């Protein structure tokens, strides 16, 4: 993918950075007024667990984290020789530390305020190592976008993500994740996106993994029905292969194949999870907080030697792999007792 013109980047940041800083200031300075008002509003509706307050505090924490990243980014740029050594080991480590701080703090607040707690077994954690690897993660809610970072930073492995360009509207993502080697691609950008993803794959080493959400969008039952109907008309053979999917969308193979071709020595790690299935977006989650079911996470490793090299066989392998994710969700959905 061609580099984003600097003029386009800074025109966007001239809007997103002041907007985020101003929103954070208003959210924080307004706490003494807004918090009591939200408590009264929740209690007036018999919402004794104060969902409106919880969501407001979580969003405020997110904004604070983003603003910290915005304010520290220029100093890190100066420390990296006025931006000339942003890819140096010292610069990468500085940016990793602020990313780790942000992800861990938000995960803690998600559990304390929203009720979202992550449960992952030791066997799954062991399969994450070693690097390099290509990580395929399910995508069911905006909160799971940070799940691979949360898991991998525990073991000191850096992630480089394939991220939708819409998230450039978040200046924290724009400034921090770009410097850590992640790429932002426009939706349905085709060959250009595959080239960018392939370039990312060539950068993997023993300290990094590439993370991609191969469904290409958030899961939704209506979306799954539309995709199945479309495939039934355009590709009946594949439609039969993916007909058993119930909880995930079919893989969009272009980006995954670009990574596999660019990193021929990398194993594949699959991350499945369940617990956010009933909340396709943050708004639907906000109406139910604090949620009572945990976010159950499972991961398994596929040695590179079993991944087909033939393009047609590999596409079928991807469909079968994603069917295994669907089956895992079916086996674990509602498996844990809910908290009262």
């Amino acid at each position: 993918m061609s580099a984003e013109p600097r003029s386009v980047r800074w025109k966007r940041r001239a809007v997103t950075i002041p907007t985020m800083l101003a929103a954070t200031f208003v959210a924080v300075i307004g706490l003494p007024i807004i918090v009591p008002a939200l408590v009264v509003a929740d209690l007036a509706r018999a919402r004794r667990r104060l969902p409106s307050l919880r969501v407001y505090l979580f969003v405020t924490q997110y904004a604070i984290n983003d603003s910290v990243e915005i304010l520290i980014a220029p100093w890190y740029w100066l420390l990296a020789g006025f931006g000339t050594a942003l890819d140096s080991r010292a610069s990468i480590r500085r940016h990793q530390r602020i990313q780790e701080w942000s992800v861990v703090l938000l995960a803690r607040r998600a559990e304390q305020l929203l009720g979202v707690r992550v449960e992952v077994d030791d066997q799954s954690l062991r399969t994450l190592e070693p690097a390099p690897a290509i990580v395929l993660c399910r995508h069911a809610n905006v909160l799971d976008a940070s799940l691979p970072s949360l898991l991998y930073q525990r073991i000191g492995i850096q992630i480089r993500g394939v991220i939708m360009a819409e998230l450039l509207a978040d200046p924290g993502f724009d400034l921090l994740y770009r410097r850590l080697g992640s790429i932002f691609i426009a939706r349905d950008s085709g060959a250009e996106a595959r080239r960018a993803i392939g370039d990312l794959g060539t950068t993997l080493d023993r300290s990094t993994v590439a993370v991609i959400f191969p469904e290409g969008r958030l899961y939704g039952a209506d979306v799954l029905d539309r995709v199945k109907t479309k495939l039934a008309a355009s590709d009946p053979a594949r439609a039969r292969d993916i007909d058993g999917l119930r909880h995930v969308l079919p893989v969009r193979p272009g980006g995954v194949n670009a990574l596999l071709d660019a990193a021929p020595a990398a194993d594949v790690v699959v991350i499945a999870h369940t617990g956010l299935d009933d909340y396709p977006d943050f708004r639907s989650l906000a109406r139910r907080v604090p949620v009572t079911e945990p976010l159950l996470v499972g991961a398994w490793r596929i040695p590179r030697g079993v991944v087909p090299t033939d393009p047609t066989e590999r596409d079928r392998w991807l469909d079968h792999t994603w069917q295994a994710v669907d089956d895992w969700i079916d086996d674990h959905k509602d498996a844990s007792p809910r908290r009262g």
Side-chain angles (χ1 to χ4, degrees):
M1 176 176 284
S2 59
E4 180 184 44
R6 183 172 296 182
S7 60
V8 173
R9 182 182 308 169
W10 284 106
K11 184 177 180 180
R12 178 183 64 248
R13 290 176 179 175
V15 175
T16 60
I17 290 175
T19 299
M20 179 57 74
L21 292 175
T24 305
F25 176 79
V26 171
V28 173
I29 205 72
L31 282 170
I33 298 172
I34 296 172
V35 167
L38 291 175
V39 171
V40 170
D42 277 334
L43 293 178
R45 298 178 183 179
R47 297 174 176 175
R48 296 186 178 182
R49 305 196 74 179
L50 309 178
S52 301
L53 175 62
R54 290 170 179 270
V55 170
Y56 179 78
L57 293 176
F58 179 79
V59 172
T60 300
Q61 181 68 72
Y62 185 95
I64 291 171
N65 284 30
D66 224 50
S67 293
V68 169
E69 292 164 3
I70 290 169
L71 294 173
I72 206 168
W75 295 104
Y76 283 1
W77 183 83
L78 289 172
L79 288 171
F82 295 91
T84 60
L86 282 171
D87 58 351
S88 68
R89 180 175 297 181
S91 177
I92 292 294
R93 186 60 195 141
R94 280 193 292 269
H95 286 81
Q96 280 181 309
R97 283 197 293 267
I98 192 69
Q99 181 194 50
E100 291 167 4
W101 165 81
S102 183
V103 169
V104 169
L105 181 55
L106 282 176
R108 188 180 306 134
R109 295 293 181 262
E111 179 172 353
Q112 293 169 340
L113 297 170
L114 308 182
V116 178
R117 74 186 194 281
V118 177
E119 292 186 359
V120 55
D121 61 274
D122 291 340
Q123 178 59 38
S124 292
L125 289 173
R126 285 193 291 269
T127 67
L128 301 178
E129 299 183 86
I134 295 166
V135 181
L136 313 182
C137 186
R138 184 204 183 190
H139 200 18
N141 183 284
V142 292
L143 290 181
D144 65 31
S146 298
L147 181 59
S149 295
L150 183 64
L151 297 177
Y152 270 97
Q153 67 187 28
R154 294 179 180 180
I155 54 178
I157 293 178
Q158 178 191 354
I159 71 162
R160 294 176 180 170
V162 178
I163 305 171
M164 290 295 101
E166 290 92 333
L167 283 175
L168 287 170
D170 181 326
F173 267 95
D174 190 358
L175 292 165
L176 183 63
Y177 282 75
R178 187 192 294 274
R179 293 182 184 180
L180 285 171
S182 293
I183 60 169
F184 295 83
I185 60 171
R187 197 176 300 276
D188 299 320
S189 50
E192 190 178 10
R194 289 193 292 273
R195 284 194 295 272
I197 295 169
D199 290 343
L200 183 153
T202 64
T203 68
L204 299 184
D205 56 30
R206 293 182 180 179
S207 65
T208 55
V209 299
V211 175
I212 188 169
F213 297 86
E215 295 156 286
R217 69 198 85 176
L218 288 172
Y219 169 82
D222 56 336
V223 179
L224 178 59
D225 289 341
R226 289 199 302 271
V227 172
K228 285 185 174 182
T229 299
K230 185 176 180 180
L231 280 175
S234 63
D235 190 345
R238 189 177 184 212
R240 288 191 293 271
D241 282 343
I242 61 94
D243 188 57
L245 297 182
R246 296 145 292 176
H247 311 295
V248 297
L249 300 179
V251 169
R252 303 178 75 174
V256 181
N257 281 326
L259 282 174
L260 290 169
D261 290 337
D267 288 345
V268 174
V269 173
V270 180
I271 297 178
H273 62 80
T274 183
L276 296 174
D277 308 75
D278 297 331
Y279 318 112
D281 51 42
F282 189 77
R283 180 176 296 180
S284 60
L285 176 66
R287 289 195 294 264
R288 299 278 297 277
V289 300
V291 297
T292 56
E293 62 271 25
L295 178 61
L296 293 177
V297 180
W300 57 93
R301 193 175 194 94
I302 302 174
R304 188 51 184 267
V306 306
V307 179
T309 55
D310 177 77
T312 301
E313 291 182 6
R314 187 193 285 169
D315 285 350
R316 292 198 69 188
W317 170 82
L318 281 171
D319 283 336
H320 294 160
T321 299
W322 223 237
Q323 181 64 60
V325 172
D326 195 273
D327 293 340
W328 184 95
I329 295 166
D330 205 50
D331 290 341
H332 292 82
K333 189 176 171 65
D334 301 322
S336 290
R338 297 173 179 247
R339 291 176 294 179

